[in-house]
Amino acid sequence: MNAFEFYKKSLQNTLGTDTQMSFFWKGRVALYAILKALDIGPGDEVVLPGYTCIVVPNAILYTGAKPVYCDIDPATFNADTASIVASITPNTKAIIIQNTYGLSSDVKEIVATARARGIITIEDCTHGFGATTDGQPNGTVADVSFFSTQWNKPFSTGIGGFSVTQDPVLADKIQGQWDQCVSPSFKESLMLRLLVFVRKWMVCDWNYWPMVRFYRLLSYSNIVLGSSQSSELEGITMPFGFMKKLSKAQAKQGVSSCEPIHKIIEKRRLVAKTYTDFLKSKSKNHVAQELHTEHGFLKYPLLVSNRESFMKAAASAKVRLGEWFLSPLHPIEGDLGKWGFDTQKCPNSVRAAKHMVNLPTDTAKVDRVLQFLEAQIDDIL
Ligand SMILES: *Cc1c(COP(=O)(O)O)cnc(C)c1O
């Protein structure tokens, strides 16, 4: 078995299915390949949550199709069926549903609604690897799904992504898109290995944010390989060399990082339960208890009145908070008109983006986080 076959086998074992997969340089490339394989282009519409990462609408726009944003349910931070249905027009070709923070959308209901109308469902599982929807592994219910293995995702290969589908015809077409991708250069593979090494051995709690800022600065200037190039944050044209395959080094890294996922999620759930119990006892916003069993808790969402001061206080208390999503189309702040986003249509997304911070679920220092929350209790909504 070569590195890719081995990786595929590990993923299939974890997902508990023998689905077909194609391996790409990033999750967004997998999404683009899926859209192309579905023959989506000018004149077509793709419905997606108005609370996502900018690279998702970008992939749609690169095909010439139009992203149609729907609002989220404030209880789940996912697009609900009603707002999706309201966004469907005769031009709708596909619906993207997301596993926001590790919680899947109401996949079964949305898939059934879409199928009745001849519309394809694509699951954005970039936060949801290893968690479930109605007891089934995320990524195995919708027509086709994509995953990301970027730094901050459920498991990481530095950067990376893959598509999953049970439909053999579609799988072939996606693999056809993969055939058209370039292979990463020697320099790119080498740099990625270096970054994985730095991340593993040199980044710790006290230097996390300075290191992240330094890395972003370097990657936005295109000096080192980044999660996003500056052109992806500024415009809607595909950057040069976008269509790229996963490297062998990434596939090897993937095998060892994906296997412990269920244990990792178990730990995250325990931490999340502690947060929920605490927040509930203080009558503050929290993830509803009935959502806990299927939630992967990549992040624990918390709404605060003033994010800026809350983040500052966290930094001095040495609590590492996340900042997903700062904006309905993260991380773009300001005018989202270029991406066709209408703030009027998505009030819940806009509000969530304004007040959101994420509590760490991978920390061994839960007590420190709880102490911090106790001290900041008045700022928590
Ligand atoms: C990270 C992310 C992506 C894209 O993943 P990449 O591998 O970075 O391209 C897509 N959707 C959401 C919701 C994400 O958070």
Side-chain angles (χ1 to χ4, degrees):
M1 255 199 282
N2 69 29
F4 296 98
E5 283 162 4
F6 208 52
Y7 185 29
K8 185 168 155 186
K9 207 81 233 119
S10 310
L11 290 170
Q12 286 174 335
N13 286 344
T14 330
L15 291 176
T17 66
D18 55 357
T19 53
Q20 319 229 26
M21 295 172 192
S22 295
F23 296 107
F24 298 92
W25 183 237
K26 292 179 183 176
R28 68 199 74 177
V29 185
L31 170 60
Y32 178 77
I34 290 168
L35 296 170
K36 292 301 279 184
L38 291 168
D39 215 13
I40 286 171
D44 297 331
E45 293 177 3
V46 178
V47 173
L48 75 165
Y51 189 67
T52 189
C53 182
I54 191 65
V55 301
V56 176
N58 273 347
I60 299 168
L61 289 159
Y62 296 165
T63 70
K66 179 182 164 192
V68 176
Y69 303 94
C70 53
D71 204 9
I72 55 166
D73 175 345
T76 62
F77 304 106
N78 280 323
D80 56 290
T81 317
S83 80
I84 290 174
V85 170
S87 307
I88 293 175
T89 76
N91 297 325
T92 307
K93 282 283 162 62
I95 296 169
I96 298 178
I97 41 185
Q98 194 167 284
N99 302 160
T100 315
Y101 305 130
L103 178 69
S104 71
S105 302
D106 206 347
V107 186
K108 277 206 174 139
E109 190 178 293
I110 297 165
V111 170
T113 308
R115 286 209 178 129
R117 292 168 167 81
I119 299 169
I120 298 278
T121 45
I122 305 171
E123 205 177 343
D124 178 341
C125 296
T126 52
H127 301 185
F129 181 81
T132 55
T133 175
D134 287 324
Q136 257 176 280
N138 283 338
T140 60
V141 179
D143 295 317
V144 53
S145 317
F146 69 99
F147 292 79
S148 166
T149 53
Q150 186 253 18
W151 305 107
N152 301 308
K153 304 299 159 103
F155 78 94
S156 173
T157 59
I159 52 180
F162 56 96
S163 65
V164 162
T165 181
Q166 330 252 8
D167 174 348
V169 178
L170 182 56
D172 277 353
K173 286 186 183 165
I174 297 171
Q175 194 62 18
Q177 291 295 320
W178 179 87
D179 281 333
Q180 295 178 34
C181 291
V182 295
S183 292
S185 66
F186 178 72
K187 192 178 143 200
E188 283 168 327
S189 296
L190 193 69
M191 193 179 285
L192 198 55
R193 275 196 214 184
L194 181 71
L195 288 172
V196 169
F197 181 84
V198 169
R199 167 75 187 232
K200 186 166 176 196
W201 300 106
M202 293 167 70
V203 180
C204 54
D205 266 341
W206 68 265
N207 72 7
Y208 179 78
W209 281 109
M211 288 291 265
V212 167
R213 276 193 282 272
F214 183 57
Y215 170 66
R216 282 185 191 158
L217 183 75
L218 292 178
S219 68
Y220 287 178
S221 333
N222 299 328
I223 294 170
V224 302
L225 278 181
S227 303
S228 289
Q229 288 175 282
S230 51
S231 62
E232 294 179 275
L233 305 177
E234 282 153 13
I236 55 171
T237 42
M238 187 191 281
F240 178 75
F242 178 82
M243 288 283 279
K244 203 172 285 167
K245 299 174 181 175
L246 192 83
S247 70
K248 205 163 134 189
Q250 285 166 292
K252 278 191 188 156
Q253 173 73 31
V255 175
S256 56
S257 5
C258 79
E259 282 179 346
I261 191 72
H262 291 122
K263 280 210 179 100
I264 293 172
I265 289 183
E266 231 170 86
K267 278 193 198 152
R268 290 180 188 272
R269 281 189 182 137
L270 280 178
V271 174
K273 185 180 178 302
T274 314
Y275 294 150
T276 294
D277 290 347
F278 173 82
L279 292 164
K280 205 171 166 204
S281 75
K282 304 279 178 187
S283 303
K284 297 292 179 179
N285 74 96
H286 58 272
V287 178
Q289 226 126 25
E290 64 268 24
L291 300 177
H292 274 246
T293 34
E294 298 210 289
H295 208 309
F297 287 111
L298 178 63
K299 308 270 179 188
Y300 191 101
L302 182 71
L303 300 172
V304 299
S305 47
N306 183 332
R307 175 171 43 220
E308 208 174 315
S309 63
F310 200 85
M311 293 293 288
K312 262 196 201 132
S316 46
K318 295 201 167 43
V319 169
R320 193 203 293 176
L321 298 183
E323 43 174 18
W324 286 356
F325 293 129
L326 283 175
S327 140
L329 304 181
H330 185 84
I332 312 294
E333 292 180 272
D335 186 18
L336 303 174
K338 219 186 284 182
W339 289 274
F341 186 85
D342 173 7
T343 36
Q344 305 288 321
K345 208 189 141 198
C346 302
N348 293 336
S349 310
V350 172
R351 180 170 186 273
K354 182 159 184 260
H355 295 285
M356 181 64 72
V357 296
N358 322 129
L359 303 180
T361 51
D362 58 353
T363 180
K365 305 201 167 93
V366 187
D367 289 344
R368 185 190 285 173
V369 182
L370 291 177
Q371 257 171 30
F372 167 74
L373 294 178
E374 182 87 61
Q376 302 296 320
I377 202 78
D378 292 340
D379 278 335
I380 302 174
L381 293 176

Short mmCIF file of all heavy atoms in Angstrom, two decimals, residues 25-29 31 51-53 55-56 98 124 126-127 146-150 153 159-161 227-228 324-325, ligand 1:
data_model
loop_
_atom_site.label_atom_id
_atom_site.label_comp_id
_atom_site.label_asym_id
_atom_site.label_seq_id
_atom_site.Cartn_x
_atom_site.Cartn_y
_atom_site.Cartn_z
N TRP A 25 -4.84 19.48 -1.57
CA TRP A 25 -3.92 20.34 -0.82
C TRP A 25 -4.61 21.02 0.35
O TRP A 25 -4.02 21.25 1.41
CB TRP A 25 -3.35 21.36 -1.81
CG TRP A 25 -2.33 22.32 -1.35
CD1 TRP A 25 -2.42 23.67 -1.41
CD2 TRP A 25 -1.03 22.03 -0.82
NE1 TRP A 25 -1.26 24.24 -0.93
CE2 TRP A 25 -0.39 23.25 -0.57
CE3 TRP A 25 -0.34 20.84 -0.52
CZ2 TRP A 25 0.89 23.34 -0.04
CZ3 TRP A 25 0.94 20.92 0.01
CH2 TRP A 25 1.54 22.16 0.23
N LYS A 26 -5.91 21.36 0.17
CA LYS A 26 -6.68 22.02 1.22
C LYS A 26 -8.15 21.61 1.09
O LYS A 26 -8.57 21.15 0.03
CB LYS A 26 -6.62 23.55 1.09
CG LYS A 26 -5.24 24.15 1.37
CD LYS A 26 -5.25 25.66 1.20
CE LYS A 26 -3.85 26.22 1.41
NZ LYS A 26 -3.77 27.66 1.17
N GLY A 27 -8.92 21.85 2.14
CA GLY A 27 -10.36 21.57 2.11
C GLY A 27 -11.07 22.36 1.01
O GLY A 27 -11.94 21.86 0.32
N ARG A 28 -10.67 23.62 0.86
CA ARG A 28 -11.32 24.48 -0.14
C ARG A 28 -11.10 23.95 -1.56
O ARG A 28 -11.95 24.13 -2.42
CB ARG A 28 -10.79 25.91 0.00
CG ARG A 28 -9.34 26.08 -0.38
CD ARG A 28 -8.72 27.35 0.17
NE ARG A 28 -8.46 27.24 1.60
CZ ARG A 28 -7.87 28.20 2.32
NH1 ARG A 28 -7.49 29.31 1.75
NH2 ARG A 28 -7.66 28.02 3.60
N VAL A 29 -9.97 23.30 -1.79
CA VAL A 29 -9.69 22.74 -3.11
C VAL A 29 -10.61 21.54 -3.34
O VAL A 29 -11.15 21.35 -4.43
CB VAL A 29 -8.20 22.35 -3.26
CG1 VAL A 29 -7.90 21.88 -4.68
CG2 VAL A 29 -7.29 23.51 -2.88
N LEU A 31 -13.56 21.23 -2.05
CA LEU A 31 -14.89 21.79 -2.33
C LEU A 31 -14.98 22.25 -3.79
O LEU A 31 -15.97 21.95 -4.48
CB LEU A 31 -15.19 22.97 -1.39
CG LEU A 31 -16.44 23.78 -1.74
CD1 LEU A 31 -17.71 22.92 -1.71
CD2 LEU A 31 -16.61 24.97 -0.80
N TYR A 51 -22.52 32.04 7.75
CA TYR A 51 -21.66 32.05 8.93
C TYR A 51 -20.61 30.97 8.67
O TYR A 51 -20.76 29.81 9.04
CB TYR A 51 -22.49 31.70 10.17
CG TYR A 51 -21.77 31.88 11.48
CD1 TYR A 51 -21.41 33.15 11.92
CD2 TYR A 51 -21.46 30.80 12.29
CE1 TYR A 51 -20.76 33.33 13.14
CE2 TYR A 51 -20.81 30.96 13.50
CZ TYR A 51 -20.47 32.23 13.92
OH TYR A 51 -19.83 32.41 15.12
N THR A 52 -19.57 31.37 7.93
CA THR A 52 -18.60 30.38 7.45
C THR A 52 -17.26 31.05 7.20
O THR A 52 -17.05 32.21 7.55
CB THR A 52 -19.16 29.68 6.18
OG1 THR A 52 -18.33 28.57 5.83
CG2 THR A 52 -19.25 30.63 4.99
N CYS A 53 -16.38 30.28 6.58
CA CYS A 53 -15.05 30.78 6.28
C CYS A 53 -15.08 31.30 4.83
O CYS A 53 -15.72 30.69 3.97
CB CYS A 53 -14.11 29.59 6.43
SG CYS A 53 -12.42 29.96 6.16
N VAL A 55 -13.29 31.12 2.40
CA VAL A 55 -12.85 30.24 1.31
C VAL A 55 -14.00 29.41 0.72
O VAL A 55 -13.90 28.91 -0.39
CB VAL A 55 -11.69 29.32 1.74
CG1 VAL A 55 -10.52 30.16 2.21
CG2 VAL A 55 -12.09 28.33 2.83
N VAL A 56 -15.10 29.30 1.49
CA VAL A 56 -16.25 28.53 1.00
C VAL A 56 -16.97 29.30 -0.13
O VAL A 56 -17.09 28.79 -1.24
CB VAL A 56 -17.19 28.11 2.16
CG1 VAL A 56 -18.42 27.41 1.64
CG2 VAL A 56 -16.43 27.22 3.14
N GLN A 98 -23.09 22.69 7.13
CA GLN A 98 -21.81 22.77 7.84
C GLN A 98 -21.89 22.07 9.20
O GLN A 98 -22.95 21.99 9.80
CB GLN A 98 -21.54 24.27 8.03
CG GLN A 98 -20.15 24.65 8.43
CD GLN A 98 -19.96 26.17 8.25
OE1 GLN A 98 -19.80 26.67 7.15
NE2 GLN A 98 -19.99 26.89 9.35
N ASP A 124 -20.07 20.39 4.68
CA ASP A 124 -18.78 20.99 5.05
C ASP A 124 -18.42 20.41 6.41
O ASP A 124 -18.90 20.87 7.45
CB ASP A 124 -18.92 22.52 5.11
CG ASP A 124 -17.62 23.21 5.53
OD1 ASP A 124 -16.75 22.53 6.12
OD2 ASP A 124 -17.50 24.42 5.29
N THR A 126 -15.48 20.35 7.80
CA THR A 126 -14.15 20.81 8.21
C THR A 126 -14.00 20.92 9.73
O THR A 126 -12.89 20.88 10.23
CB THR A 126 -13.82 22.16 7.55
OG1 THR A 126 -14.90 23.06 7.81
CG2 THR A 126 -13.65 22.02 6.05
N HIS A 127 -15.12 21.06 10.46
CA HIS A 127 -15.03 21.09 11.93
C HIS A 127 -15.49 19.77 12.53
O HIS A 127 -15.40 19.61 13.74
CB HIS A 127 -15.94 22.18 12.53
CG HIS A 127 -15.66 23.56 12.07
ND1 HIS A 127 -16.32 24.66 12.58
CD2 HIS A 127 -14.80 24.06 11.16
CE1 HIS A 127 -15.88 25.76 12.00
NE2 HIS A 127 -14.97 25.42 11.12
N PHE A 146 -16.78 17.34 2.28
CA PHE A 146 -15.34 17.63 2.27
C PHE A 146 -14.87 17.94 3.67
O PHE A 146 -15.63 18.39 4.53
CB PHE A 146 -15.00 18.77 1.30
CG PHE A 146 -15.51 20.13 1.70
CD1 PHE A 146 -14.67 21.04 2.33
CD2 PHE A 146 -16.82 20.50 1.45
CE1 PHE A 146 -15.12 22.31 2.70
CE2 PHE A 146 -17.28 21.76 1.82
CZ PHE A 146 -16.44 22.66 2.44
N PHE A 147 -13.58 17.64 3.89
CA PHE A 147 -12.95 17.78 5.19
C PHE A 147 -11.69 18.62 5.03
O PHE A 147 -11.11 18.67 3.94
CB PHE A 147 -12.55 16.41 5.74
CG PHE A 147 -13.72 15.52 6.10
CD1 PHE A 147 -14.43 14.84 5.12
CD2 PHE A 147 -14.09 15.36 7.42
CE1 PHE A 147 -15.49 14.01 5.45
CE2 PHE A 147 -15.16 14.53 7.76
CZ PHE A 147 -15.86 13.86 6.78
N SER A 148 -11.26 19.23 6.13
CA SER A 148 -10.01 19.98 6.13
C SER A 148 -9.10 19.41 7.21
O SER A 148 -9.58 19.00 8.27
CB SER A 148 -10.27 21.45 6.42
OG SER A 148 -9.06 22.12 6.73
N THR A 149 -7.81 19.40 6.94
CA THR A 149 -6.86 18.97 7.95
C THR A 149 -5.83 20.07 8.18
O THR A 149 -4.65 19.82 8.39
CB THR A 149 -6.18 17.63 7.56
OG1 THR A 149 -5.64 17.76 6.24
CG2 THR A 149 -7.19 16.51 7.54
N GLN A 150 -6.32 21.30 8.12
CA GLN A 150 -5.51 22.48 8.42
C GLN A 150 -5.18 22.48 9.92
O GLN A 150 -5.76 21.71 10.68
CB GLN A 150 -6.35 23.70 7.96
CG GLN A 150 -5.68 25.03 8.04
CD GLN A 150 -6.24 25.86 9.18
OE1 GLN A 150 -6.87 25.33 10.08
NE2 GLN A 150 -5.98 27.15 9.14
N LYS A 153 -8.03 22.24 12.70
CA LYS A 153 -9.17 21.36 12.47
C LYS A 153 -9.05 20.11 13.36
O LYS A 153 -8.04 19.94 14.04
CB LYS A 153 -9.26 21.01 10.99
CG LYS A 153 -9.35 22.27 10.10
CD LYS A 153 -10.58 23.12 10.37
CE LYS A 153 -10.43 24.54 9.89
NZ LYS A 153 -11.10 24.87 8.69
N ILE A 159 -1.55 21.57 6.51
CA ILE A 159 -2.74 21.93 5.75
C ILE A 159 -3.12 20.67 4.96
O ILE A 159 -2.30 19.75 4.83
CB ILE A 159 -2.52 23.14 4.81
CG1 ILE A 159 -1.30 22.95 3.93
CG2 ILE A 159 -2.37 24.42 5.60
CD1 ILE A 159 -1.04 24.12 2.99
N GLY A 160 -4.33 20.65 4.44
CA GLY A 160 -4.75 19.46 3.70
C GLY A 160 -6.26 19.35 3.66
O GLY A 160 -6.96 20.07 4.39
N GLY A 161 -6.77 18.48 2.78
CA GLY A 161 -8.21 18.29 2.71
C GLY A 161 -8.55 17.07 1.88
O GLY A 161 -7.68 16.52 1.19
N SER A 227 -2.38 29.28 5.58
CA SER A 227 -3.73 28.75 5.41
C SER A 227 -4.41 29.49 4.27
O SER A 227 -5.18 28.93 3.53
CB SER A 227 -4.52 28.93 6.69
OG SER A 227 -3.85 28.30 7.74
N SER A 228 -4.17 30.79 4.17
CA SER A 228 -4.76 31.58 3.10
C SER A 228 -3.73 32.54 2.53
O SER A 228 -2.92 33.09 3.25
CB SER A 228 -5.94 32.40 3.63
OG SER A 228 -7.02 31.58 3.94
N TRP A 324 -13.24 32.18 16.18
CA TRP A 324 -14.09 31.80 15.05
C TRP A 324 -15.53 32.08 15.38
O TRP A 324 -16.00 31.57 16.39
CB TRP A 324 -13.98 30.31 14.75
CG TRP A 324 -12.74 29.86 14.12
CD1 TRP A 324 -11.69 30.62 13.69
CD2 TRP A 324 -12.39 28.50 13.84
NE1 TRP A 324 -10.71 29.81 13.18
CE2 TRP A 324 -11.11 28.52 13.25
CE3 TRP A 324 -13.04 27.28 14.03
CZ2 TRP A 324 -10.47 27.34 12.85
CZ3 TRP A 324 -12.41 26.12 13.64
CH2 TRP A 324 -11.13 26.16 13.04
N PHE A 325 -16.34 32.72 14.65
CA PHE A 325 -15.99 33.49 13.47
C PHE A 325 -16.13 34.96 13.79
O PHE A 325 -17.17 35.37 14.27
CB PHE A 325 -16.90 33.11 12.31
CG PHE A 325 -16.74 31.72 11.78
CD1 PHE A 325 -17.82 30.88 11.62
CD2 PHE A 325 -15.48 31.24 11.44
CE1 PHE A 325 -17.66 29.59 11.11
CE2 PHE A 325 -15.32 29.96 10.93
CZ PHE A 325 -16.41 29.13 10.77
C1 LIG B 1 -11.27 25.81 7.62
C2 LIG B 1 -12.57 25.84 6.95
C3 LIG B 1 -12.69 25.55 5.59
C4 LIG B 1 -11.54 25.36 4.63
O1 LIG B 1 -10.56 24.47 4.96
P1 LIG B 1 -9.09 24.63 4.28
O2 LIG B 1 -8.49 23.29 4.42
O3 LIG B 1 -8.38 25.68 5.10
O4 LIG B 1 -9.28 25.05 2.88
C5 LIG B 1 -13.98 25.48 5.06
N1 LIG B 1 -15.08 25.71 5.81
C6 LIG B 1 -14.99 26.04 7.12
C7 LIG B 1 -16.24 26.26 7.89
C8 LIG B 1 -13.74 26.13 7.73
O5 LIG B 1 -13.64 26.49 9.02
#
